[in-house]
Every structure is written in C-alpha cells, then in structure tokens.
Amino acid sequence: MSQHTKSEKDFSKYFQPPSLTDAKKRGKEDIKVHYDFQIPDEDKELGKDKHYLIQTYGCQMNEHDTETMKGMLEAMGYTGTEDRQEADIILLNTCAIRENAEDKVFGELGHLKTLKLQKPGLILGVCGCMSQEEAVVNRILKKHAFVDIIFGTHNIHRLPSLLKEAYFSKEMVVEVWSKEGDIVENMPKKREGMRAWVNIMYGCDKFCTYCIVPYTRGKERSRRPEDVLAEVRDLARQGFKEITLLGQNVNAYGKDFDDIEYLFGDLMNDIRKIDVPRVRFMTSHPRDFDDHLIEVLGKKGNLMEHIHLPVQSGSTEILKKMSRKYTRERYLELASKIKTVMPDVVLSTDIIVGFPGETDEQFEETMSLVKEVGFDFAFTFIYSPREGTPAAAMEDNVPLEVKKARLQRLNEVIATFSSESNQKLIGQVVEVLVEGESKNDANVLSARTRTNKLIHFVGSRELIGTIVHLRVTEAKTWFLKGELIETPLQKTV
Ligand code: SAH
Ligand code: SF4
Ligand code: F3S
C-alpha cells in the first residue's frame, strides 16, 4: 500500500508509487466484506452548489465504478454537469489496457492544465486502472503536478475522505493500494436508464501474458451470493429491464468461496427465477465455462442467447504463449457444445492480432477459427505491449504494417459474417427491448434483440422500456430494420 499526502518538495522522500510486483503477490488471507459503508453526516453538505464531472474510459467495470463515484458525490450534495467550465471537480476514470487508452488520458491532462490555471479552485483527480501503474503515477507526479488527487481501483470507497483531504490541504493526495482491498458493500450508486450493471466479482487471477488487468484490479474475489441476489431483486423492484452481471472472468465466480459450493451456474440459476426481463453477463473466459452453466443458460427465459467468449487467437501455440490455458480444439469444442444446447445463440469475441512472434500461418489459424465458429461481432485489437507484463519482454518481430493488414483482413471477414447472419433473420420475428429513440431520427426507435443485435423500427415513444415483437425487414452489416407486429405468429428468436 502506498498512501501519502504530499507537498511538492517532500514527496520523493516519503512517497512510494504503486508496485506491479506487489500487485502480483496474491495473498491467502480471506477477503472481508464490509457492510458499514456510510457518508458521515457532516460531509453531506460538502458539495452544496458545487458540480462534478467524471470522464470515463475503458470497460463496463470502469463505467460501473463511475456510477458508484457519482452515487457517493451526490450523497455529498454535489450535482453532475457535462460542462467543464461549470465543474468544481473533474475526475478521469482511466483505462490501461492498451497504449492508446493511456495516450488519450495524457492528452486530456494537457487540456485540463489550461482549465486549472484559469480556475485554481478546480479539483482534478485521476483514478481507475492507470493510477495502479507505477510508471503512470510517477509521470503524473513529475509532469502533471497540478493534479490534486490520484486514487486507485481498490480505493474508490475512500473518495469522500480523499476529496475532503484535497480540499482542505490543497496538496496532492495520492492513495493507491497495490494489493486489493476488501469488498465494500452498500456504496451508493447512481444508475440511469433501464439497464443496470451489477458486479458479481472483482479482479482477475488469469494473468494472460499480455494483460495488465490482474495488476490493476487485484485478485479474483466474488461477492457473496446473497448480496448479488439482493441487489438484482432490488433493481427488478425498481423497474430495471435489463441487468448485466460484471466480472473480468465471470465464469470463475465462486471459486474463491471456501465455505460454500456455489459457482456461476448456480448464481445464474437463481437469477433466472428473479422477475427481471433480461439478464446478460460479461466477460466469459473459455477456460471455466462448465457444463452446468451451459445447461442453465439453455433454459433461456430471462437469460439471453448471447455469449461474449473472447478467444484471442486461433493458434494453439499463440494461446500457449498468451497463457490462455485452452487450445484451439478446446475452444471449438466449447463453442459447438454451447450451440448444441442453444441453437439460436449468438457468439461474439475479442481477438488480438500481432502478438509477439505471430507468424502468417498462426494468423491464418485465427482466420479459420473465426470462419468455423461464425462470430456475429468481435472486438479486434493490435497487440499493445504493457510494461511489467511477461509478453512485453517477448521478442516482437512482426512489423506494424503486417499487423495492420492482418487486422483489416480479420475485420473484413467478421463484417461478412455479421452481414450474412443478419440476412438470415429477414422475415423472422424477434423479441426486442425498446431502448430509446434512434440517434439519427426521432421517429425511429432503437431496440435490441435477445441476441444483442441492434434493430430500428418506426413506433411510438411509449414503447420505450417495453418488450415487443418485430418482424425483420432489412439487414445491414451491423444492424437490422424491422416492423412492429401485434402478436408473434412465428417462432421468436
Ligand atoms: N477479461 C476479459 C477481457 C478484458 S480486456 C477476458 O479475458 O476476456 C478486453 C480485451 O482487450 C481482451 O479480451 C483482449 O482482447 C484485449 N487486450 C487486453 N490486453 C491487451 C493488450 N496488451 N494489447 C491488445 N489488446 C489487449
Ligand atoms: Fe486480462 Fe486474461 Fe484476466 Fe481477461 S482473463 S482480464 S485478458 S488476464
Ligand atoms: Fe481498462 Fe481497467 Fe477495464 S484496464 S479495460 S478499465 S479493467
């Protein structure tokens, strides 16, 4: 742990940056769950007439952390704003997954320096995954000393205290715990819209060789089933239409419990019985995807027929170098098992191209796997070395031009699959959740199929938030068009 309130001159003497090496050490000690989180009464007026703005980068985990921070700030009396000029606090909730994610944040800090000069009372904070990296914290301390607070992903619950410290001391407040903290329940959360995220676990123990997440998010730790179920029930009561269960590796849920036998399949089986229209989850790791889970998902109902199942590469040798702990064959077997139980499932994936040493032949194996599985969509990335991870030390002899060309070919094949799979839906009736007006045309509504495909149709605004049936009339590469039908006459997908 490193915690220090500094003034410019003394920080080098006392400050210890977060350490990736320490973050890697996984303790055996039990994770404690705290149910006593509270904003002290005397802090509830602190934000009166003041505004906050949080800029969020990265994955759903970060988006959801932002909802927690918003909840805390509003409980302290602050009001949200989108206008930087109006903001009294600006927080950057950062992502460290690839170099370009970090570049964006440093670019932003450059802009914010000007604002800070105009408005010295502004509190500027950096949190999220980048603040867990020692190199980043050191760079901010040296080059962006106008930042007021840096806090880590394990310190979110400390935001109210850190903010107070920053206000009253007017010195940079740095609090980044290298090792994960406990689980803190009952933090206020500001959710908007009809869809809600629910954390089921934190951290990741997989240590894929390219990935920074196990260092920035700490060890895998599951929330107690009763806490997850109570939160989902409460959200259902509040009228949320869709719940997405979150974890870096949801399939490892429950593996850390030593007092009960309760895994992800058990959790899904219990959530299936809660009266909430739609339940999704992300992200699945192929390694822990067990038969019981497949069987439970096959019962459908409020469990949707979409599984995001990152494969990363189609080459067993590259998978081994990535330390993904499954082979090409094992992934294909799993995909086919899922499809047998859920014939109308849609699979999507993440793929990295240009991992150190990836040969043309190995890349072709990724292309052939994509064709064999037939993903409807995929997030594809060029490998980006992350300091401190094992892959960053591997020899990378693939030129950037080659990586770019591979990425382009891969994206083309995925687009073709998406388009073909959408074409097959023409004439079929689909069950959709109407999410809102379409971005480009207020007369058109946007909805999502059970399989998570975007579909537009003409309908009345009153339908927003309801589940209706549409006949698919047109298929584009990345979305569908449909028309409203009164009652489903045909098989629904
Ligand atoms: N926990 C999830 C993924 C989280 S990160 C899982 O294991 O599936 C989201 C995606 O970013 C990963 O699936 C991977 O495809 C990509 N990614 C992670 N580290 C990367 C790196 N160093 N370079 C490029 N892409 C990376
Ligand atoms: Fe990263 Fe692998 Fe963990 Fe996913 S499973 S977060 S890719 S280490
Ligand atoms: Fe980025 Fe951290 Fe998520 S590195 S992808 S914000 S877990």
Side-chain angles (χ1 to χ4, degrees):
M1 169 184 139
S2 59
Q3 175 180 359
H4 181 58
T5 305
K6 78 161 186 75
S7 65
E8 275 298 327
K9 47 187 179 331
D10 70 0
F11 79 78
S12 56
K13 206 158 89 196
Y14 301 106
F15 176 72
Q16 285 187 326
S19 149
L20 293 185
T21 318
D22 284 354
K24 191 166 181 177
K25 291 179 193 146
R26 294 294 196 244
K28 289 251 182 296
E29 65 277 6
D30 284 346
I31 293 289
K32 287 197 194 65
V33 188
H34 299 267
Y35 293 97
D36 56 356
F37 179 86
Q38 264 189 339
I39 308 267
D41 280 341
E42 71 265 22
D43 293 354
K44 289 189 178 155
E45 295 281 297
L46 211 68
K48 199 165 170 283
D49 304 323
K50 292 204 175 89
H51 291 85
Y52 73 86
L53 189 160
I54 308 182
Q55 234 162 280
T56 313
Y57 303 81
C59 64
Q60 287 86 351
M61 207 74 67
N62 254 18
E63 298 274 358
H64 189 43
D65 284 348
T66 290
E67 293 182 338
T68 307
M69 293 192 279
K70 285 183 175 179
M72 287 190 277
L73 290 171
E74 298 204 1
M76 294 170 81
Y78 290 93
T79 312
T81 179
E82 294 298 310
D83 177 4
R84 285 181 169 197
Q85 296 294 337
E86 190 183 29
D88 301 282
I89 301 177
I90 299 180
L91 298 179
L92 303 184
N93 190 7
T94 63
C95 170
I97 200 81
R98 280 169 293 275
E99 196 178 347
N100 56 5
E102 299 203 352
D103 290 347
K104 274 192 227 157
V105 170
F106 282 115
E108 204 56 56
L109 281 175
H111 299 143
L112 289 171
K113 183 175 185 177
T114 320
L115 190 65
K116 178 86 184 173
L117 288 172
Q118 290 163 2
K119 211 175 154 181
L122 173 72
I123 297 278
L124 265 186
V126 176
C127 56
C129 288
M130 275 171 73
S131 54
Q132 294 292 144
E133 293 179 284
E134 51 198 280
V136 168
V137 172
N138 283 329
R139 183 165 160 188
I140 295 177
L141 286 170
K142 285 204 189 87
K143 297 206 176 133
H144 306 272
F146 55 92
V147 168
D148 300 282
I149 321 178
I150 306 176
F151 60 102
T153 58
H154 310 310
N155 309 62
I156 285 180
H157 61 288
R158 299 260 309 132
L159 174 61
S161 312
L162 298 175
L163 204 53
K164 246 173 49 179
E165 226 176 293
Y167 260 125
F168 297 121
S169 74
K170 284 278 183 281
E171 290 171 332
M172 195 192 285
V173 177
V174 184
E175 184 175 297
V176 183
W177 295 341
S178 298
K179 295 182 81 178
E180 58 286 329
D182 295 337
I183 291 178
V184 182
E185 292 290 344
N186 303 327
M187 285 195 274
K189 295 184 171 109
K190 185 180 191 221
R191 292 180 163 109
E192 284 157 300
M194 68 191 80
R195 291 177 292 165
W197 286 305
V198 172
N199 280 124
I200 64 167
M201 58 189 303
Y202 302 96
C204 179
D205 281 348
K206 288 287 178 281
F207 288 101
C208 303
T209 53
Y210 50 82
C211 186
I212 195 77
V213 173
Y215 308 85
T216 63
R217 292 272 168 181
K219 80 169 175 185
E220 274 172 12
R221 49 214 196 276
S222 307
R223 285 179 71 198
R224 301 296 302 180
E226 57 276 19
D227 295 333
V228 175
L229 293 169
E231 186 170 354
V232 175
R233 282 196 197 99
D234 182 46
L235 292 167
R237 260 195 303 272
Q238 290 180 45
F240 282 94
K241 303 293 184 227
E242 184 174 296
I243 306 284
T244 303
L245 306 175
L246 290 183
Q248 285 302 345
N249 169 18
V250 289
N251 307 74
Y253 177 80
K255 292 196 158 187
D256 51 327
F257 295 146
D258 45 21
D259 56 337
I260 48 171
E261 282 270 328
Y262 190 92
L263 298 176
F264 188 52
D266 301 305
L267 182 71
M268 290 308 268
N269 201 32
D270 281 336
I271 288 184
R272 195 171 70 77
K273 299 168 195 154
I274 298 179
D275 189 14
V276 62
R278 291 185 159 196
V279 179
R280 303 186 183 279
F281 56 90
M282 66 183 334
T283 299
S284 279
H285 191 294
R287 178 157 181 231
D288 299 317
F289 213 111
D290 60 34
D291 290 351
H292 179 231
L293 175 63
I294 300 178
E295 183 199 317
V296 171
L297 295 178
K299 296 180 184 169
K300 308 210 312 193
N302 62 359
L303 309 183
M304 298 295 104
E305 294 85 80
H306 167 225
I307 299 173
H308 187 64
L309 193 62
V311 63
Q312 312 299 357
S313 166
S315 148
T316 295
E317 290 130 72
I318 291 290
L319 287 169
K320 193 157 188 230
K321 282 172 83 178
M322 289 177 163
S323 193
R324 289 290 287 181
K325 309 208 172 64
Y326 53 84
T327 58
R328 171 193 176 89
E329 290 68 33
R330 166 83 181 89
Y331 185 93
L332 288 171
E333 222 172 86
L334 175 62
S336 100
K337 220 193 260 182
I338 294 172
K339 285 183 185 175
T340 309
V341 178
M342 283 186 276
D344 41 16
V345 75
V346 155
L347 295 178
S348 56
T349 201
D350 292 349
I351 296 170
I352 296 176
V353 302
F355 188 78
E358 184 190 61
T359 63
D360 282 336
E361 292 72 29
Q362 288 166 335
F363 172 68
E364 292 309 327
E365 289 189 79
T366 298
M367 292 288 277
S368 73
L369 180 134
V370 166
K371 289 179 191 158
E372 195 166 335
V373 179
F375 298 109
D376 278 46
F377 38 100
F379 298 106
T380 54
F381 310 100
I382 289 182
Y383 166 72
S384 168
R386 306 284 63 215
E387 196 180 320
T389 61
M394 294 179 191
E395 195 199 348
D396 185 1
N397 54 5
V398 189
L400 184 60
E401 287 316 308
V402 173
K403 295 183 183 186
K404 284 187 180 163
R406 286 179 189 168
L407 185 70
Q408 197 183 339
R409 278 188 58 211
L410 180 62
N411 287 343
E412 280 163 11
V413 76
I414 291 161
T416 310
F417 262 98
S418 176
S419 173
E420 282 172 7
S421 132
N422 286 351
Q423 289 290 337
K424 286 188 200 140
L425 291 173
I426 291 183
Q428 293 205 37
V429 173
V430 290
E431 180 199 292
V432 304
L433 170 63
V434 187
E435 293 183 350
E437 284 170 3
S438 122
K439 273 190 207 127
N440 306 323
D441 185 349
N443 295 316
V444 174
L445 298 178
S446 294
R448 292 248 168 210
T449 64
R450 291 177 62 90
T451 54
N452 216 15
K453 288 181 187 254
L454 183 62
I455 180 161
H456 297 301
F457 70 106
V458 175
S460 134
R461 288 198 83 251
E462 282 147 34
L463 294 175
I464 295 173
T466 66
I467 292 194
V468 299
H469 290 88
L470 303 178
R471 175 172 287 107
V472 180
T473 53
E474 233 181 285
K476 305 280 185 194
T477 305
W478 302 117
F479 68 94
L480 301 163
K481 288 187 182 179
E483 62 191 14
L484 193 63
I485 57 165
E486 292 310 318
T487 35
L489 302 169
Q490 304 174 22
K491 176 180 155 302
T492 55
V493 191

